[in-house]
Amino acid sequence: MDDLVRAALVKWPNVPDCRGWLALDARGEWFMRDDRCQAAGPFPQSKGSQILHDKLRGFIERNYEADAEGCWFFQNGPQRVYVELEAAPVVWRLSRPDGTLLIHSHAGQAAHHRHSWLDEQGRLFLETDQGFGLVHSMDMALAADEVEAGRWQPGEMAFADMAGHFGYVLSPAARA
């Protein structure tokens, strides 16, 4: 968490939480969801405006974490802005720059594979030393190489069971 955010928490400890205004889609993209967008339907049916500003994305990602109930949020100064999730709290990106497979979160955090899971739609999720998330759709060829080589042996789990099993909440707004 940024030092500026920690200082704001001390200075203003009782700012109300915000729900429904920020979302993370299955490709690791952030979306702002104003009143009109929220009235049009739940995420991802009504996505909102994609956040394209690199510094804002970086600020969100540096201050992104989960509470004790598994609701993910962005600590925006003294205010917790809870995040609506399309699929999982993390979107994993895979690369092989020098022949070795690297796994990084949508925020750039390195991780190591522990186990993989397929849902009923054929989406691949990874359990890593840094948490649970969905493999980005553009990186499925690299993931398939790992499966075909026998390095990853995906189990099967219904998507509806994943949040409970791995301890995260898809919609903190619906839960509130």
Side-chain angles (χ1 to χ4, degrees), residues 110-126:
H112 298 283
H113 174 270
R114 288 189 176 158
H115 195 70
S116 51
W117 302 91
L118 286 170
D119 73 0
E120 63 276 10
Q121 296 176 39
R123 296 181 297 182
L124 183 66
F125 293 79
L126 298 183

Side-chain angles (χ1 to χ4, degrees), residues 108-159:
Q109 182 179 29
H112 298 283
H113 174 270
R114 288 189 176 158
H115 195 70
S116 51
W117 302 91
L118 286 170
D119 73 0
E120 63 276 10
Q121 296 176 39
R123 296 181 297 182
L124 183 66
F125 293 79
L126 298 183
E127 182 180 358
T128 76
D129 62 332
Q130 299 299 317
F132 182 79
L134 174 68
V135 173
H136 194 287
S137 60
M138 291 181 64
D139 297 337
M140 289 302 294
L142 289 171
D145 291 344
E146 296 301 297
V147 172
E148 289 173 2
R151 290 184 289 271
W152 293 0
Q153 298 173 355
E156 293 183 10
M157 185 180 297
F159 178 70

